[in-house]
Amino acid sequence: MGHQGEINGVIISNGTIVKFPPHVGEQLASMANIGNTIQAKGFGTRNRYGQILEATALSVNGQSVSLQPKAITSP
C-alpha cells in the first residue's frame, strides 16, 4: 500500500511482490479476490530477501488489466 492507502502491489502465492501504479490497484480492488489467478510480466530482481516484479503486463483470471495511465480530460 502507498502512503495514502492506495493499492500499489500484491503478494502472490509464491511470495513474489508484484508492483503496479496506484490506478491499477483501483481496478484490481473491484475484480481480484484471494484465490484468483494472477499472471504478471515485467522486470525486477531476486535476492536473499525475496523477489519483486514491476509489472508491464498483468491479467486476473485471464482478463487483461490495463497498466496505461488514466487519460486526463480538460474542462
Side-chain angles (χ1 to χ4, degrees), residues 13-26:
S13 62
N14 69 0
T16 299
I17 298 170
V18 179
K19 303 282 287 174
F20 41 74
H23 71 275
V24 174
E26 294 171 15

Side-chain angles (χ1 to χ4, degrees), residues 4-71:
Q4 298 177 347
E6 68 277 13
I7 299 169
N8 60 11
V10 295
I11 301 173
I12 58 176
S13 62
N14 69 0
T16 299
I17 298 170
V18 179
K19 303 282 287 174
F20 41 74
H23 71 275
V24 174
E26 294 171 15
Q27 293 177 60
L28 289 182
S30 64
M31 69 185 291
N33 295 300
I34 293 174
N36 287 155
T37 300
I38 295 178
Q39 293 182 317
K41 291 182 182 180
F43 56 92
T45 189
R46 181 184 324 184
N47 58 35
R48 64 185 172 145
Y49 300 109
Q51 182 170 311
I52 190 165
L53 178 83
E54 185 70 34
T56 57
L58 188 66
S59 69
V60 176
N61 293 329
Q63 181 181 356
S64 292
V65 176
S66 174
L67 299 178
Q68 298 301 315
K70 289 182 178 179

